[in-house]
Amino acid sequence: MKYNYLAITTAIFTLSLSNISFAQKKVKPNPLKEEVKASVDQRFDALTDLSDRIWSFEEIAFRETQSAKALADYAEELGFRVTRGVAEIPTAFVAEYGSGSPVIGILGEFDALPGLSQNKVPYKSPLNEGAPGHGCGHNLFGVASLGAAASIKDLIDQGKIKGTVRFYGTPAEEKFFGKLWMVRAGLFNDVDVVMDWHPAAETKAAVQKGLALVDFQVEFFGQAAHASADPWNGRSASDALELYTSGINYYREHIKPTVRIHYHIQDAGQVVNVVPDYSRIWVRVRDSSREGLVPVWKRVEEMAEGAAILANVDYKVNLISGVHEVLVNRTGSAALQKNLENLGSISYTEEEQNFAKKIQEATGKPQIGLVSKIEPMEETAEHSMGGSTDVGDVSWVVPTIRLSATTAPNGTPWHSWAVVAAGGMSIGHKGMAYAAKALSMTMVDLFQNPELVESVKTEFKEKKGDYVYKGFVPDGPPPINSNLQ
Ligand SMILES: [Zn+2]
């Protein structure tokens, strides 16, 4: 269904059994929304080409040099004012068009994940063995958002709307949460509303909070010795690490079900005949809110001291970064929802559905194909589960409206080869174009309707209350060249 219908205001009945006609009137399509949709269609080939190039660059966190350049160059060609290397991050940039108020921002990610390189086929087949791949669909993410910004630019150009559209090229979402440093640099301080989307296996206004998290490293420093000839001269950093993880794993029984703790042992000695004098572990703690997160995080940090005492070694804790849960804006999401209902679901060819079903077969999931049906807007759960995003931090400094759009088959594992495959072909391209349309239509609402912007802001202020945002980010520059990679 393409159009909404106005409620019947005046009932004029023609009383006839065979023909009851109502004074029913179609809502006129908003011409500006029709124009932004047409702009996306008109740029479809260019956007698809850009997405495919970023897909094939396969660049991971803070290494997205070619991907960031491709997006920034395209924005510049379109006439955006582009500032590269913002927030001390070479691959972060801002592209702006127009002037004055309102300032509507839109986020675009473009980093890949290690080890997920994949051909555009519905079975596991690495394109470049061991190389990264776009297992979270960020090749589509940045491009759709820039496509949406470009459609708004067209309207500003023609004098049909007034204000500023600003695209944020936001790197390193997958590993370090690049937006943290962009928020810290004050890049969102003058924005009225931010829009955002994410590739997904369904299409909906994204109204769940996700999880807050914090990442830190623990290093243990011991004394090396021959593991057999004089082990009494050794103090083992590896022993400390094992004791530490044991402590964490016992602690799991005494934490709330909303908490998640993961760790990655990065260094536990090199050879078997040396008492290791150094070990390092990356620890991640999550909970459904930062209030729940902080005490668990502090407790897990403290355990490092206990482990160090037991193993008679020294230790050091380094905060890496962390994110807030998302501050959901339901007022803005409701405006987005109306546009989704207006757009309807994405239509797929039989070939695309077959591709999706083959992926589902290969990953042991029901072969139901692609799902992009628009359901009513969900309730926002008090404790949502799932992943985390640095969009959370943006959402605590500026009201943020979020979309999920179908770019991969339903039910298949995320962060996997399946997402890379679908994101590199027409299934992904359709999701990208759909997202660009839904986002730009909602931006039209924001530009045309100052009351909407005000009510979005009112909800934001009420929900934020007196909390003064402070990111989980250490002092100093972002970890672009650290040994954390
Ligand atoms: Zn992602």
Side-chain angles (χ1 to χ4, degrees):
M1 187 69 78
K2 289 277 184 203
Y3 305 107
N4 296 319
Y5 291 87
L6 265 182
I8 304 154
T9 48
T10 317
I12 304 167
F13 296 103
T14 305
L15 289 171
S16 151
L17 281 175
S18 59
N19 178 19
I20 302 174
S21 82
F22 296 87
Q24 196 180 47
K25 195 165 107 186
K26 280 179 184 176
V27 168
K28 272 196 194 149
N30 180 329
L32 298 193
K33 291 188 184 178
E34 297 307 306
E35 287 191 38
V36 290
K37 282 196 268 181
S39 289
V40 173
D41 286 334
Q42 182 219 320
R43 291 198 177 92
F44 182 75
D45 289 347
L47 297 174
T48 298
D49 175 62
L50 194 50
S51 169
D52 285 352
R53 281 164 60 209
I54 294 170
W55 185 90
S56 63
F57 292 151
E58 308 174 321
E59 295 171 308
I60 58 164
F62 287 142
R63 303 280 180 269
E64 321 92 330
T65 319
Q66 298 176 87
S67 308
K69 185 178 183 308
L71 286 163
D73 286 353
Y74 185 63
E76 218 160 54
E77 280 166 32
L78 292 171
F80 282 74
R81 299 183 294 278
V82 177
T83 314
R84 300 175 197 236
V86 295
E88 303 173 76
I89 303 172
T91 51
F93 69 97
V94 172
E96 191 176 83
Y97 199 87
S99 62
S101 175
V103 180
I104 307 298
I106 186 158
L107 308 176
E109 298 171 7
F110 40 81
D111 60 328
L113 284 154
L116 293 181
S117 180
Q118 165 70 23
N119 277 300
K120 302 173 184 185
V121 292
Y123 49 88
K124 190 173 182 207
S125 162
L127 176 65
N128 299 302
E129 191 72 50
H134 273 285
C136 207
H138 293 183
N139 59 304
L140 305 162
F141 188 158
V143 173
S145 297
L146 184 53
S151 303
I152 295 298
K153 175 212 97 93
D154 294 343
L155 296 183
I156 294 174
D157 253 354
Q158 296 159 20
K160 290 176 179 164
I161 52 174
K162 282 197 170 63
T164 309
V165 61
R166 190 185 292 158
F167 173 84
Y168 291 86
T170 65
E173 194 279 333
E174 294 291 1
K175 192 155 185 184
F176 297 105
F177 309 116
K179 293 181 197 70
L180 288 172
W181 290 275
M182 297 177 80
V183 172
R184 188 180 73 175
L187 296 173
F188 293 93
N189 289 356
D190 63 339
V191 193
D192 290 289
V193 181
V194 160
M195 297 223 51
D196 166 57
W197 80 288
H198 202 286
E202 55 194 340
T203 302
K204 60 184 186 181
V207 293
Q208 304 305 336
K209 300 175 194 174
L211 301 180
L213 74 75
V214 72
D215 277 345
F216 58 93
Q217 265 181 336
V218 178
E219 292 176 287
F220 292 107
F221 306 93
Q223 167 68 53
H226 192 294
S228 177
D230 66 338
W232 45 85
N233 283 328
R235 290 180 292 115
S236 171
S238 170
D239 288 359
L241 196 142
E242 287 195 59
L243 291 160
Y244 183 50
T245 57
S246 298
I248 290 173
N249 291 325
Y250 275 102
Y251 182 45
R252 286 186 200 279
E253 189 160 323
H254 309 286
I255 53 180
K256 294 204 170 142
T258 50
V259 176
R260 298 282 182 273
I261 306 174
H262 334 291
Y263 54 76
H264 168 220
I265 294 170
Q266 297 184 296
D267 190 340
Q270 305 299 318
V271 285
V272 74
N273 60 348
V274 174
V275 173
D277 66 351
Y278 180 75
S279 66
R280 186 173 77 237
I281 184 170
W282 181 314
V283 184
R284 171 169 290 184
V285 180
R286 307 193 205 220
D287 198 358
S288 51
S289 74
R290 71 172 188 283
E291 281 109 332
L293 169 76
V294 172
V296 179
W297 161 26
K298 294 298 164 192
R299 182 84 186 90
V300 177
E301 269 193 5
E302 275 170 11
M303 287 180 189
E305 186 182 0
I309 292 169
L310 284 167
N312 192 24
V313 299
D314 296 317
Y315 79 103
K316 189 170 171 244
V317 176
N318 314 307
L319 171 64
I320 298 168
S321 60
V323 301
H324 282 49
E325 74 279 17
V326 174
L327 185 68
V328 174
N329 194 291
R330 293 191 64 88
T331 308
S333 303
L336 169 65
Q337 173 76 17
K338 275 191 198 151
N339 290 316
L340 297 181
E341 286 164 10
N342 179 298
L343 271 172
S345 53
I346 304 170
S347 52
Y348 296 104
T349 63
E350 206 181 321
E351 216 180 342
E352 287 160 346
Q353 288 291 10
N354 286 339
F355 189 95
K357 286 174 188 168
K358 278 185 193 149
I359 287 181
Q360 285 160 338
E361 188 184 8
T363 52
K365 298 290 170 188
Q367 292 172 52
I368 58 169
L370 293 148
V371 173
S372 78
K373 190 167 181 284
I374 312 303
E375 305 283 359
M377 196 166 97
E378 292 169 353
E379 289 301 315
T380 302
E382 183 54 32
H383 296 286
S384 54
M385 298 311 297
S388 309
T389 170
D390 56 3
V391 176
D393 289 67
V394 175
S395 76
W396 284 89
V397 295
V398 54
T400 304
I401 306 169
R402 310 187 66 218
L403 162 74
S404 294
T406 306
T407 64
N410 193 270
T412 50
W414 206 254
H415 282 194
S416 80
W417 66 264
V419 176
V420 189
M425 47 81 76
S426 61
I427 293 171
H429 302 151
K430 280 189 177 175
M432 177 270 291
Y434 185 93
K437 288 179 187 177
L439 292 164
S440 52
M441 289 164 78
T442 309
M443 287 201 280
V444 165
D445 287 326
L446 295 165
F447 277 101
Q448 280 190 319
N449 187 352
E451 295 84 43
L452 174 63
V453 172
E454 271 322 300
S455 46
V456 163
K457 284 182 172 178
T458 302
E459 181 183 335
F460 169 77
K461 281 179 200 147
E462 280 169 4
K463 283 192 172 160
K464 188 176 173 186
D466 54 9
Y467 174 62
V468 179
Y469 167 82
K470 183 159 182 357
F472 302 134
V473 56
D475 294 337
I480 311 282
N481 296 310
S482 75
N483 66 353
L484 301 174
Q485 295 273 7

